[in-house]
Amino acid sequence: MKRMLTLMLSLFALAASAQTLTLKWKTDTLLRVPESVLFDAKNNVLYVACIDGKPDGKDGVGSIAKVSPAGKIISAAWVKGLDAPKGMGQFKNNLYVADISRVAIIDIGTGKITSFVEIPDAKFLNDITVDKQGNVYVSDTGTNKIHRIKDGKAEVYFESTELKGVNGLLAQGNDLYVVDFATGVNYKLTADKKFTKYTTTAEGADGVVPVGKDEYLVSSWNGEVDFVNAKGEVKKLLDTREQKWNAADIEFDAKTNTLYVPTFFANGVMAYTLAK
């Protein structure tokens, strides 16, 4: 009886962790090196940050595209004049974009860049997350610092020698999930700056998005997506390395259970349905 109960519990745990990703659609390959995608639920549109030039090139050829939730490219260059745009965050009517050493602020209603916030000594700004108060956090993979923009002013929020290539950020309540590109290590950073290792996903860790209470997905730039449950257990859901499709800074729409994956060198966005 005891062995049967153990078996039943094991099968229940296996079923509970049976997450899968099924391809829903992919865009035309007209997006120029898409690094990040963000879903704007209010306006029912996806914003895609397209580097186009070099990832660290201050060349003015970067742009933000608009794509419909059905995968149609509405505008390949809705906002122009950026350098190498990467992570994005939204608060009210503002879109925040990491752009090498500055954060661009775009008015969503007009599609115009209203201002830039320069980040002192920044080398390679990468991901952005915004908390419920509107504070903007941006990672600098080049210096392993996390900066915060509060009331329009930038400050160093956190740095640690443990970080070897800080990248993905996710604000959850008063805390941050932080993923390291170089090692794949995932951390939790509390409001009182307690910094602890949570788990490890694939190297090249890039984007991190919530999919449930204390559950999230982490992409690997190399072409992988891992699911992390509330216990820190990891399950690989996607591996497109053989096809040479990258998986950069991802987005997830909980309402439709859709994961959006920018494919970088494959020049498109792919959408997957997440089944739990």
Side-chain angles (χ1 to χ4, degrees):
M1 184 68 181
K2 184 176 180 181
R3 294 177 67 180
M4 183 178 291
L5 181 59
T6 301
L7 178 60
M8 289 176 65
L9 289 173
S10 298
L11 290 173
F12 178 78
L14 182 62
S17 62
Q19 296 81 12
T20 59
L21 288 174
T22 303
L23 182 63
K24 194 173 182 179
W25 52 253
K26 54 184 177 180
T27 65
D28 292 333
T29 54
L30 301 175
L31 302 173
R32 304 298 298 168
V33 193
E35 198 282 335
S36 179
V37 59
L38 182 76
F39 178 58
D40 179 347
K42 180 180 177 181
N43 294 296
N44 196 37
V45 71
L46 297 165
Y47 305 120
V48 184
C50 299
I51 295 173
D52 200 355
K54 296 180 179 180
D56 59 351
K58 294 189 175 183
D59 47 25
V61 300
S63 62
I64 306 297
K66 263 187 175 182
V67 175
S68 79
K72 179 183 177 181
I73 298 175
I74 299 169
S75 173
W78 169 58
V79 178
K80 300 179 181 179
L82 297 167
D83 290 324
K86 300 179 182 70
M88 296 179 287
Q90 181 182 355
F91 188 73
K92 295 182 178 179
N93 199 47
N94 285 329
L95 181 67
Y96 297 88
V97 184
D99 198 27
I100 303 180
S101 61
R102 61 188 182 176
V103 172
I105 304 176
I106 298 166
D107 182 279
I108 290 172
T110 64
K112 303 294 184 183
I113 300 171
T114 57
S115 62
F116 291 98
V117 177
E118 296 289 338
I119 307 297
D121 303 317
K123 293 182 179 179
F124 197 88
L125 298 181
N126 210 329
D127 198 23
I128 280 181
T129 190
V130 184
D131 66 21
K132 291 182 179 179
Q133 289 73 44
N135 298 308
V136 178
Y137 302 85
V138 55
S139 60
D140 186 349
T141 308
T143 65
N144 286 314
K145 294 178 181 178
I146 298 172
H147 298 268
R148 179 174 66 178
I149 299 173
K150 184 176 182 179
D151 299 326
K153 296 181 179 179
E155 61 184 1
V156 176
Y157 182 73
F158 184 78
E159 58 184 314
S160 170
T161 55
E162 286 187 54
L163 291 167
K164 307 302 178 185
V166 63
N167 193 348
L169 302 176
L170 171 62
Q172 290 285 274
N174 295 320
D175 303 332
L176 292 178
Y177 285 105
V178 181
V179 302
D180 192 276
F181 183 89
T183 64
V185 176
N186 295 201
Y187 299 91
K188 272 189 177 181
L189 176 62
T190 63
D192 59 0
K193 306 298 177 66
K194 182 181 179 182
F195 190 60
T196 55
K197 179 179 176 180
Y198 186 63
T199 192
T200 301
T201 52
E203 290 184 7
D206 202 320
V208 51
V209 291
V211 295
K213 182 173 174 55
D214 298 323
E215 297 180 335
Y216 59 91
L217 298 174
V218 180
S219 62
S220 160
W221 183 86
N222 300 309
E224 300 169 87
V225 173
D226 290 323
F227 171 81
V228 181
N229 68 16
K231 296 180 180 179
E233 298 167 335
V234 178
K235 178 184 178 183
K236 190 165 302 301
L237 300 186
L238 184 70
D239 189 344
T240 57
R241 290 174 294 175
E242 186 175 332
Q243 296 93 329
K244 296 184 179 180
W245 297 336
N246 301 105
D249 189 13
I250 54 177
E251 174 66 302
F252 183 73
D253 176 14
K255 196 169 184 179
T256 61
N257 285 326
T258 304
L259 174 70
Y260 300 101
V261 181
T263 60
F264 209 80
F265 288 130
N267 294 322
V269 171
M270 304 182 78
Y272 297 84
T273 299
L274 175 66
K276 293 187 178 182

